[in-house]
Every structure is written in C-alpha cells, then in structure tokens.
Amino acid sequence: MALYITPLFAGLLTLLYIFLSVRVIGVRKSERIGLGDGGHGGLQRRMRAHGNFAEYTPLGLILMLLLELTGATPWLLWALGVGLFTGRALHAYSVSQEPEPLRFRVAGMALTFTVLVVAALMLLTRSANGLLTG
C-alpha cells in the first residue's frame, strides 16, 4: 500500500516547523539569549508558537497516518490534512503577534481540535468494526 497524502502533509508541516524554529533562533541570536526567554516578550510569543506547534502536530499526523493505513477515503485525509495545516498556521501566526489577533488563535485551535476529534472518532469506529467482525 503506497501512502501519499499523510507524507505530503508531514512534509508541509515540517517546513512550517522549521520556519517557526528559525524565527525563534533569529531572536535568540539578535538579542543574545542563549537559554529561556530573557524576559523578551517577542521571544516568548515565538517560543510558544513553536512549542504549541510541536505539541499538537505530531498527534494529528499520527492519527492521519493510522487512518491512511486502514484505508480511509482520500477526501477525508485531504480534509484532515488541510485542516491540520491551516489550524496550526493560523494558531502560530496569532500567537506570534502583538497584539494577538485572538480570532485567528481561536480558529486555529478549533480547526486543530476538529481534526483530532474527527480522526480519533474515525479510528475508534474502524477499530470497533474490526473487532466486531474480526
């Protein structure tokens, strides 16, 4: 079974992760802050955007991969991938801004949570069906 959809979004999300990492490194370098945030508000925001991305993205990709491996329809995987990427990008953008445009943060988290819940419910349904018919 060839996998195409989840790897595509894994690649795109990795590039976004690298972008967020480089933004943190840039402030660290320019402000000469080696560890922590040094009380720098902009660095705090960039670190949280980066950290939050790292906290939620892997779970979303794992759920997508499991769905793809169990034969989920491509349209579902595309919807989950677009939702995860868009949600993570909106959230990172919002958290990075001062003042923070809260509507983007809320939209980003809503999209991310929707992806996680839909994927989890789909996996639970697939597992239950497999156990019952197995």
Side-chain angles (χ1 to χ4, degrees), residues 57-130:
T57 303
L59 181 58
L61 286 171
I62 289 167
L63 294 171
M64 283 182 62
L65 179 61
L66 290 171
L67 282 170
E68 192 161 5
L69 286 170
T70 59
T73 59
W75 68 264
L76 173 66
L77 294 165
W78 278 100
L80 293 172
V82 168
L84 184 61
F85 184 87
T86 304
R88 296 292 71 216
L90 285 172
H91 185 271
Y93 167 76
S94 177
V95 171
S96 298
Q97 302 301 306
E98 183 62 46
E100 182 178 337
L102 194 57
R103 69 183 181 278
F104 291 125
R105 185 175 188 173
V106 171
M109 285 312 299
L111 274 170
T112 300
F113 284 172
T114 298
V115 167
L116 296 178
V117 168
V118 167
L121 292 174
M122 291 296 299
L123 286 169
L124 288 169
T125 301
R126 288 175 170 282
S127 294
N129 287 339

Side-chain angles (χ1 to χ4, degrees), residues 24 27-28 33 36-38 40-48:
V24 170
V27 174
R28 286 191 181 284
I33 302 170
D37 59 38
H40 189 281
L43 179 55
Q44 290 173 355
R45 288 191 162 280
R46 288 180 183 203
M47 287 172 61
R48 278 316 306 145

